[in-house]
Amino acid sequence: MDRRKLIQAAIKVLPESYTPYSHFHVAAALLCKDGTVYTGINIENAAYTPTVCAERSAFFRAVNEGKREFEAIAICGGKDGIVTDYCAPCGVCRQVMREFCDPGTFKVILAKSEDEYKEFVLKELLPMGFGPENLL
Ligand code: THU
């Protein structure tokens, strides 16, 4: 896996983020196990609650195209699109990751730049998560 390329893909779409209310831009690049990459941005809404995060944008694009197996996601974000810190995924996005990804191996890469990033596996960010197998 080329982490730099995945981070680059997220950084590239950050300006597309639609955030007229918070002005907090977020972008994600999701790597499928077949090597394809789906990007996503956060899309806000005047009614606020319909807002969708960048991570879920990326996941839903991929799942819509039939993808079900994922290796990693790179995430970057910051006020007015200026990245000064690591942008961690919200709880709802972590739960969406949990639906499709192996908590022990799926990598979540929080990036400030191609060279400056922190990497976690999903179970570090969502310990004791509730997943599809709990319903079996
Ligand atoms: N946001 C994301 O896109 N991803 C996250 O995981 C954290 C929050 C967005 C939602 C909203 O548009 C803005 O950041 C401020 O919360």
Side-chain angles (χ1 to χ4, degrees):
M1 182 182 64
D2 188 337
R3 288 163 174 76
R4 290 174 62 92
K5 257 175 95 172
L6 198 62
I7 293 166
Q8 252 173 39
I11 291 171
K12 191 175 167 198
V13 296
L14 195 55
E16 310 306 332
S17 165
Y18 178 76
T19 55
Y21 308 107
S22 75
H23 306 285
F24 193 86
H25 297 225
V26 185
L30 176 64
L31 176 65
C32 305
K33 282 198 176 157
D34 67 5
T36 51
V37 172
Y38 287 82
T39 58
I41 48 146
N42 54 335
I43 304 169
E44 297 188 342
N45 189 282
Y48 293 177
T49 55
T51 294
V52 65
C53 293
E55 299 89 327
R56 273 176 290 149
S57 284
F59 265 92
F60 295 158
R61 283 182 79 194
V63 173
N64 264 282
E65 304 243 328
K67 308 296 174 177
R68 295 290 186 274
E69 293 190 287
F70 304 101
E71 191 171 332
I73 191 167
I75 305 161
C76 62
K79 194 88 180 163
D80 299 318
I82 299 158
V83 179
T84 56
D85 203 356
Y86 299 108
C87 180
C90 79
V92 173
C93 289
R94 293 176 201 206
Q95 185 62 33
V96 169
M97 293 174 198
R98 181 68 182 78
E99 183 67 24
F100 295 103
C101 307
D102 174 0
T105 58
F106 182 71
K107 294 160 199 68
V108 181
I109 299 164
L110 311 183
K112 282 206 237 181
S113 71
E114 286 160 39
D115 304 307
E116 214 179 342
Y117 60 86
K118 282 185 185 177
E119 185 171 314
F120 302 89
V121 289
L122 180 56
K123 76 170 174 207
E124 295 177 284
L125 301 181
L126 190 69
M128 285 287 293
F130 188 86
E133 66 282 1
N134 293 108
L135 292 176
L136 297 176

